[in-house]
Every structure is written in structure tokens, then in C-alpha cells.
Amino acid sequence: MQNLLTTTLTLFKYAAIMLILKMPIAIFNALFKPGTYHELSSLQVERFTTDYLIVTLIISPIIETIIIQKILTGLLIRLKLNSTLIISISSIIFSLFHYDGYYRTILLTLGPGVVLSYVYLKNIDKKFITLFIIILHSLHNPIATTIFFLLFQQ
């Protein structure tokens, strides 16, 4: 029971870190590029359907974790790259996966990409790390979407 509590607290800690890393970029965009988040939020509300939720909460985190953490990180480890380079490459690829026509999306997803890559790389020998990363990513997506919609709607 203690192990489950520790794992749950760790999960929420990393989810919070992922959100905190997005805030400076979001605030900068809100102050110096007014309306950009309103446009993004409107698009998200229009897409906020059951299909969108299934993709955001289940399918994307699974696919991205398999491709970026399992396959890409595994390849970079076999190439004997150092941890910093592995995390950097994985994070950039993660950010590029999220490009939606707005370059700020790449910047906003870079921080969470670093956290996901770091957590995976530092715990790669643990049994359920892939599932942990999928859950962490799945928790982050709706929280981030909701926070930015609430903060930046006009």
C-alpha cells in the first residue's frame, strides 16, 4: 500500500512539473500575443468530443511512449549517447510530434517532453516504467488543456 501511495505521489509531482514548465511560455504568449490562446482554446473546445478524449487520454500517450521512450530512447542508449543528449533528442522529437501549425506548441511541449524522457531514462530498469509514463502523459493532457482554456479564454 505504501508503494502505491509513493508511486501516485510521484506521478502527480511529475505532472505538476510538466505544467509548471509550460507556464512561462504561456504567460509570455498571453501578454505579448493576445488572442493566440483564445484561438487555440476555441479549436480545442470544438474538438472536445469523445473521439478527441479517447485519442488524447489513451491512444496518443500509448503511441508516443512506445515510439519515443521505448524505441527512440532504446536506440539512443544502444548508440551509447550520454543521458543529456538522449533526453534532449527525445524531448525535441516529442515536441515535433505535437506540432499543430503553431510553433508555440513545440515550445509548450518541450518541457513535458524533458520530464517524460528524464523519468523514463532514470527508471528504465523498473518493471512498470512504460505504463507509468503512459499514465503520466494521460494525466497531463486533460489538465493542461483545461488550465490553458480557463486561463486564456477571452
Side-chain angles (χ1 to χ4, degrees):
M1 187 63 170
Q2 181 65 23
N3 195 20
L4 177 62
L5 179 61
T6 303
T7 302
T8 304
L9 290 173
T10 303
L11 192 66
F12 283 108
K13 177 180 82 173
Y14 285 121
I17 291 169
M18 290 166 62
L19 289 170
I20 289 167
L21 289 171
K22 283 185 171 185
M23 291 308 283
I25 297 166
I27 291 168
F28 174 83
N29 276 323
L31 292 173
F32 298 104
K33 298 179 181 179
T36 56
Y37 277 97
H38 177 66
E39 295 165 16
L40 179 62
S41 298
S42 298
L43 288 172
Q44 289 172 334
V45 169
E46 290 171 15
R47 298 183 328 195
F48 214 70
T49 62
T50 304
D51 294 340
Y52 176 71
L53 289 175
I54 290 170
V55 169
T56 302
L57 297 175
I58 301 168
I59 296 171
S60 292
I62 291 171
I63 291 171
E64 290 169 8
T65 300
I66 290 170
I67 292 172
I68 295 169
Q69 271 76 36
K70 292 292 277 185
I71 296 172
L72 179 63
T73 302
L75 174 67
L76 297 173
I77 289 170
R78 282 192 297 280
L79 292 173
K80 300 186 188 314
L81 299 178
N82 68 42
S83 296
T84 304
L85 194 55
I86 292 172
I87 292 169
S88 298
I89 292 170
S90 297
S91 302
I92 291 168
I93 300 297
F94 179 83
S95 293
L96 292 174
F97 267 48
H98 292 85
Y99 178 70
D100 61 356
Y102 295 99
Y103 290 107
R104 70 171 174 272
T105 308
I106 294 172
L107 294 174
L108 288 170
T109 55
L110 191 59
V114 168
V115 173
L116 292 172
S117 296
Y118 173 82
V119 172
Y120 184 81
L121 189 61
K122 296 302 176 188
N123 297 285
I124 199 164
D125 57 330
K126 298 213 167 74
K127 186 175 183 181
F128 295 106
I129 189 60
T130 303
L131 180 60
F132 183 85
I133 295 296
I134 291 168
I135 292 170
L136 179 59
H137 192 166
S138 295
L139 281 173
H140 172 265
N141 286 348
I143 294 169
T145 300
T146 303
I147 287 173
F148 288 107
F149 174 71
L150 294 174
L151 285 177
F152 300 107
Q153 65 179 341
Q154 292 181 342

